[in-house]
Amino acid sequence: MPSSITSTSSIEEVKDIDDNLKQVERDILRLEKKLAALKDKAVRLRDRRRSLTVTAPWITRLPPDILAQIFTRGTKLHSSSTSDIQQCRVFLPIAVSQVCTQWRKVALHLPQLWNYIDMSEGRPYNRTYVWLKRSRNLPLDISIDYRNEPDSTYYQRNFLVTLNVVIPYIYRWGSIRVIAPESLLETALHVFSAPAPMLHTLVLKGWTRAEDDRSEQWAPTIFHRNTPALKNVHLHGIALKWESCVFSEMRDCTLSWIPQDTVYKIPELAHLLRLASPCLQRL
């Protein structure tokens, strides 16, 4: 009989211990959360104190919203040089994010600093993938420049690798600029087959065109004929089918170095543009 009583009391004691342990673990978790919050508060207070120190440079005392405006304006360089603008949009985000902890925190929370995707980086495109992530859901401005690359099988494969990096984000393209030999450009036009609902600017520049190419046969289903925001088009050395409805909302069109065998007579071109792009304002 006594052993039975002892057994029962032991079970009850174990149960009490388990209950106490659960309570202690909850208290520990609560205190850990509170400790983490206090540590975060201490970091903010130290940063704030540092920013108020008289000896600190004035630039470190700027509020985050002012810094954000400065960084954003920095990416909107007004220059007639495309290369200057591209370099600014590539190097400015890198530069400002490496000055100090405060600047980096502000820069990383500005997706508009990271939505310019310059594919000249080359494999394995580590920087590109980082920028795609940091740009969040903003429209992307993409630049692919293969003008100095030879027209060979190796570079055709490499060009496809480049395209495959950005094709999954075609629904986010705001502008796309492709400069390449025409054989590579033709490859691009064939893979641009998904809708691009945010695309507002299309720049295609083809080089070293062979005499027997027929550019007007290219890309009959470019962007799945779905580009409701497309306003600006610049074509160099190529001619797409104007009957395609991707140009229906076009406002500004630039045509240069049109292949001889695709040159329309002025009345014919005007008629096609009136039908294809009734909103056209500048040619």
Side-chain angles (χ1 to χ4, degrees), residues 24-188:
V24 169
E25 289 172 351
R26 286 194 292 268
D27 290 342
I28 290 174
L29 182 60
R30 178 175 52 81
L31 290 172
E32 286 177 343
K33 289 182 178 179
K34 186 173 182 180
L35 180 60
L38 288 173
K39 287 182 177 179
D40 185 60
K41 184 177 181 179
V43 170
R44 294 197 303 271
L45 288 172
R46 290 192 192 99
D47 289 344
R48 180 59 180 164
R49 184 182 183 280
R50 192 180 300 113
S51 69
L52 296 173
T53 304
V54 176
T55 57
W58 67 269
I59 197 69
T60 64
R61 300 196 298 270
L62 288 175
D65 57 328
I66 301 298
L67 279 175
Q69 290 187 41
I70 293 173
F71 295 167
T72 303
R73 286 179 177 271
T75 63
K76 298 176 180 178
L77 174 68
H78 296 287
S79 172
S80 58
S81 171
T82 303
S83 61
D84 288 346
I85 296 174
Q86 291 172 336
Q87 288 184 7
C88 176
R89 295 200 64 183
V90 170
F91 294 115
L92 184 139
I94 297 174
V96 300
S97 64
Q98 295 179 355
V99 172
C100 63
T101 301
Q102 182 190 11
W103 281 35
R104 181 170 181 80
K105 186 182 296 184
V106 172
L108 294 183
H109 283 82
L110 283 175
Q112 56 267 43
L113 286 186
W114 311 99
N115 68 331
Y116 179 74
I117 307 301
D118 181 7
M119 301 304 294
S120 63
E121 172 196 9
R123 299 183 188 185
Y125 296 108
N126 292 330
R127 185 191 70 198
T128 296
Y129 285 115
V130 170
W131 286 41
L132 286 168
K133 181 178 179 180
R134 290 178 181 175
S135 63
R136 301 180 191 174
N137 292 319
L138 282 187
L140 301 172
D141 298 323
I142 299 171
S143 176
I144 302 174
D145 192 338
Y146 267 66
R147 80 180 79 191
N148 296 321
E149 307 294 356
D151 189 359
S152 65
T153 303
Y154 170 78
Y155 283 100
Q156 286 177 354
R157 289 198 298 266
N158 196 53
F159 187 66
L160 273 175
V161 171
T162 300
L163 294 177
N164 287 334
V165 174
V166 294
I167 285 294
Y169 302 89
I170 196 169
Y171 66 97
R172 286 179 52 199
W173 290 5
S175 68
I176 175 75
R177 174 178 173 269
V178 184
I179 304 177
E182 287 209 2
S183 60
L184 299 186
L185 193 59
E186 183 177 4
T187 299

